Amino acid sequence: MNNPIPLYSTADIREIEQLAAARPNPPNLMEKAGLAAAHITKNKLLSNDKSNLLVLAGPGNNGGDAFVTARYLRAWGFQVTTIFTGDPSKLSQDAKQALQNWLNAGGELHNDIPSSGSWHVIIDGLFGIGLNPDKYPLDEKYQRLIAAVNHMNLPVLALDIPSGLSADNGIAPSTAIKATITATFIGLKPGLLTHDGCEYAGEIILCDLDLDAVSMKSPQSWLLDQSLIKTLLPAPRPANSHKGIFGSVGIIGGASGMVGAALLAGSAALKLGAGRVYLGLLANQPSTVDPAQPELMLRPVDELFELDHLTCLIVGPGLGKEISACLCLEETLQTSLPVVLDADALNLIAHHSELASALRSRHAPSLLTPHAAEAARLLGTDIATVQNHRMQAAEDLARNFNCSVVLKGAGSICAFPNGHCYFNASGNPGLSSAGTGDVLSGMTGALLAQGLTSENALLLAVYLHGAAADALLETLAGPIGMTASEIIDSARHLLNQWVYGHHARFRYSHAYSIY
Ligand SMILES: NC(=O)C1=CN([C@@H]2O[C@H](COP(=O)(O)OP(=O)(O)OC[C@H]3O[C@@H](n4cnc5c(N)ncnc54)[C@H](O)[C@@H]3O)[C@@H](O)[C@H]2O)[C@@H](O)CC1
Ligand SMILES: Nc1ncnc2c1ncn2[C@@H]1O[C@H](COP(=O)(O)OP(=O)(O)O)[C@@H](O)[C@H]1O
Ligand SMILES: [K+]
């Protein structure tokens, strides 16, 4: 089994760097970083007829990496134009050496992008983890330079992190380099994987610089990717199974005008494998059957609490904030069932401290699936604060409410009360449409019902939900106009593929022969 890929904050990376530097024969990390980046550039972006590079070297060690990259590429026969925005006397020892080596190799320096010249590829070595753009905004000179680079619309390889992006938070308050590839050093950074990072990082290639980071610094955050997911999948079903084995999901929501949200969650729970799905609808005179999905059992909400075989409850899709919704939520929190809380269930908890206390004191698993606005209400802050500190917000929610949490949005973050975090690598803007969150809650419930732990159910549902949307891009069923219902069918297809490969048919075949 592959180990999950860790994520490291800027402070962690600095610590690892210091540990490496304290070794008897410290590695020259800048040299290794520049060489790795040069190889990636050559192999993935350059060719015989695309051989002119523009290299941007900034005032710190990221600029040092750029000089090393430039030197190797020049030595390999490429045409390299380098601009340097810093002050040579203020460079670190390593970066000073890298600059000197570049000059010794016959390289030249410009202080701005030459007006005449044409390039095929750009290397961005302006800023790496030393930039803290929310505290120390980029001045106009750098904003102009970055805008000029983005305007050129050329393939860009960013060194460590696209310049302008915060390595810890994934925010780019003014602007950032839009990279085709980010060659990131030592460890993945959270900022590459969430919020604006999803826009700017492009393909991310981790260059470990021959350091075994995990042995030097124990991680608390990991990438939620396909290789991690493989370890969480439900087992293939026994042939001799019955619906009771796969659990019963109860869904509470669907107030007047919002019945569709509960139906979507119900279909998602059903098609992701729950044995039975019951819907308790709050609408006045709710329908008793969904003709589009007659397998769903629609009941008056009170009857849901009388069922003795539910495996988990989902509360929130289309719930509304009426008193009846509040009472249902209160009753749900008193049960000993695992619960998934979404949408207005989260808003009610944010508004009623007694519901928040009931949530905190639950012993059974509770899973919260807020988007940024719901998270802000739960934390008593504003959306910008949540979005500028997404990992912190997810961690705070998990700790404050003693719950498993996914903070949704580009680069969803799953956080758990033990402080562990997972950054989701799947998903695309096709998911930015009404109802996809309801589908996620239904999928999570289905996996809980089938016996996954609350942590594993949340991680698998979040990754699968994004991967289902990614699969729809292949057939151009999105991102424009992708619908929540389509996510359900795509997710069902993928889950079966992951669990069975293409062998489900053979596994349960009844073929026999007479010899
Ligand atoms: N940490 C490590 O072990 C390694 C670091 N390396 C490189 O070193 C980078 C970190 O280097 P540094 O710590 O020197 O940081 P950076 O090179 O990312 O940036 C720091 C420099 O930018 C300036 N600066 C910061 N914010 C600014 C702003 N808003 N406007 C204008 N100037 C600003 C600072 O004064 C400083 O000169 C990494 O991202 C990576 O590219 C690599 O050489 C490999 C090893
Ligand atoms: N740009 C995006 N990239 C990746 N995932 C996205 C993006 N936009 C939305 N999503 C995902 O889509 C879902 C939207 O959920 P939510 O906002 O609750 O929708 P609704 O309330 O309409 O059901 C979340 O899982 C979120 O992570
Ligand atoms: K950079």
Side-chain angles (χ1 to χ4, degrees):
M1 184 186 94
N2 290 337
N3 290 322
I5 300 175
L7 270 60
Y8 288 110
S9 68
T10 297
D12 293 337
I13 297 279
R14 302 264 192 228
E15 206 178 314
I16 294 168
E17 177 196 18
Q18 279 172 14
L19 288 169
R23 286 176 177 172
N25 289 311
N28 186 335
L29 296 177
M30 190 173 283
E31 192 67 19
K32 284 174 186 274
L35 177 58
H39 273 298
I40 294 167
T41 309
K42 177 171 170 278
N43 295 339
K44 300 194 74 130
L45 300 177
L46 292 166
S47 58
N48 285 342
D49 58 345
K50 291 189 176 156
S51 56
N52 289 359
L53 290 118
L54 178 66
V55 175
L56 312 179
N61 287 337
N62 200 245
D65 296 345
F67 290 128
V68 177
T69 311
R71 195 183 81 237
Y72 279 106
L73 289 166
R74 187 175 189 279
W76 297 338
F78 298 101
Q79 298 296 316
V80 184
T81 307
T82 297
I83 77 162
F84 177 43
T85 61
D87 174 349
S89 67
K90 292 190 179 153
L91 287 175
S92 70
Q93 203 50 45
D94 285 349
K96 220 174 247 171
Q97 187 63 59
L99 168 59
Q100 195 55 53
N101 292 347
W102 166 248
L103 296 173
N104 292 348
E108 292 178 358
L109 289 184
H110 300 258
N111 54 19
D112 205 344
I113 302 177
S115 52
S116 65
S118 71
W119 300 278
H120 301 111
V121 171
I122 299 174
I123 305 286
D124 158 35
L126 288 177
F127 301 107
I129 58 172
L131 183 74
N132 196 343
D134 43 338
K135 298 224 173 80
Y136 181 5
L138 283 172
D139 65 24
E140 210 191 313
K141 170 179 103 174
Y142 284 110
Q143 290 191 37
R144 187 180 51 76
L145 196 54
I146 290 171
V149 168
N150 289 344
H151 187 68
M152 283 191 244
N153 229 347
L154 291 170
V156 178
L157 180 123
L159 298 169
D160 211 19
I161 183 146
S163 299
L165 187 69
S166 152
D168 286 337
N169 300 323
I171 58 166
S174 49
T175 184
I177 293 280
K178 193 153 171 39
T180 315
I181 297 175
T182 297
T184 199
F185 306 129
I186 300 177
L188 292 183
K189 285 92 189 164
L192 295 171
L193 297 158
T194 198
H195 201 37
D196 292 328
C198 302
E199 181 73 17
Y200 291 108
E203 180 188 354
I204 299 166
I205 301 181
L206 172 61
C207 309
D208 64 9
L209 312 187
D210 304 317
L211 293 179
D212 178 15
V214 175
S215 68
M216 302 166 82
K217 176 82 194 167
S218 182
Q220 294 293 301
S221 309
W222 295 267
L223 183 67
L224 176 54
D225 67 351
Q226 185 79 35
S227 61
L228 174 60
I229 283 312
K230 277 192 196 149
T231 66
L232 312 178
L233 294 171
R237 295 186 161 195
N240 182 15
S241 68
H242 60 87
K243 60 180 178 275
I245 297 181
F246 305 115
S248 297
V249 175
I251 298 173
I252 296 173
S256 295
M258 297 180 290
V259 175
L263 295 177
L264 276 169
S267 293
L270 188 70
K271 289 190 167 179
L272 269 296
R276 300 183 185 95
V277 181
Y278 297 89
L279 263 61
L281 299 174
L282 279 98
N284 300 326
Q285 300 176 327
S287 44
T288 51
V289 67
D290 172 13
Q293 198 76 77
E295 301 88 344
L296 298 176
M297 291 174 268
L298 276 51
R299 302 282 167 87
V301 70
D302 293 343
E303 286 184 24
L304 231 64
F305 291 109
E306 287 161 19
L307 297 172
D308 62 3
H309 60 277
L310 290 183
T311 329
C312 65
L313 275 168
I314 300 170
V315 187
L319 183 71
K321 287 189 271 208
E322 299 292 314
I323 185 72
S324 56
C326 230
L327 294 173
C328 285
L329 180 56
E330 191 176 25
E331 193 161 352
T332 300
L333 294 175
Q334 283 161 8
T335 69
S336 56
L337 294 173
V339 297
V340 179
L341 305 179
D342 186 31
D344 273 334
L346 301 171
N347 296 329
L348 286 169
I349 286 164
H351 282 106
H352 298 282
S353 57
E354 60 284 9
L355 290 175
S357 304
L359 174 61
R360 281 189 195 100
S361 52
R362 295 190 88 235
H363 295 295
S366 312
L367 291 75
L368 312 185
T369 60
H371 55 51
E374 289 153 356
R377 288 176 205 122
L378 285 166
L379 291 168
T381 183
D382 54 65
I383 297 172
T385 303
V386 168
Q387 289 295 66
N388 289 345
H389 306 278
R390 279 174 60 79
M391 181 169 163
Q392 186 66 53
E395 285 174 343
D396 287 350
L397 286 170
R399 230 185 345 261
N400 288 356
F401 293 101
N402 191 29
C403 290
S404 300
V405 173
V406 55
L407 175 58
K408 298 184 293 191
S412 290
I413 302 171
C414 298
F416 300 101
N418 63 2
H420 291 180
C421 273
Y422 293 82
F423 282 61
N424 187 33
S426 68
N428 65 71
L431 286 168
S432 304
S433 82
T436 56
D438 306 316
V439 166
L440 177 68
S441 68
M443 289 171 56
T444 309
L447 297 173
L448 282 171
Q450 288 168 87
L452 272 72
T453 63
S454 53
E455 289 82 5
N456 291 354
L458 187 66
L459 292 174
L460 179 52
V462 167
Y463 182 79
L464 176 58
H465 183 257
D470 292 342
L472 290 173
L473 298 184
E474 308 268 323
T475 54
L476 284 183
I480 302 169
M482 193 183 284
T483 64
S485 305
E486 289 168 305
I487 302 296
I488 301 174
D489 289 343
S490 178
R492 176 175 67 177
H493 179 86
L494 279 183
L495 183 60
N496 279 291
Q497 197 175 62
W498 295 347
V499 173
Y500 292 101
H502 294 288
H503 302 297
R505 202 157 59 86
F506 304 110
R507 186 176 184 104
Y508 302 119
S509 125
H510 298 284
Y512 68 91
S513 56
I514 298 170
Y515 181 65

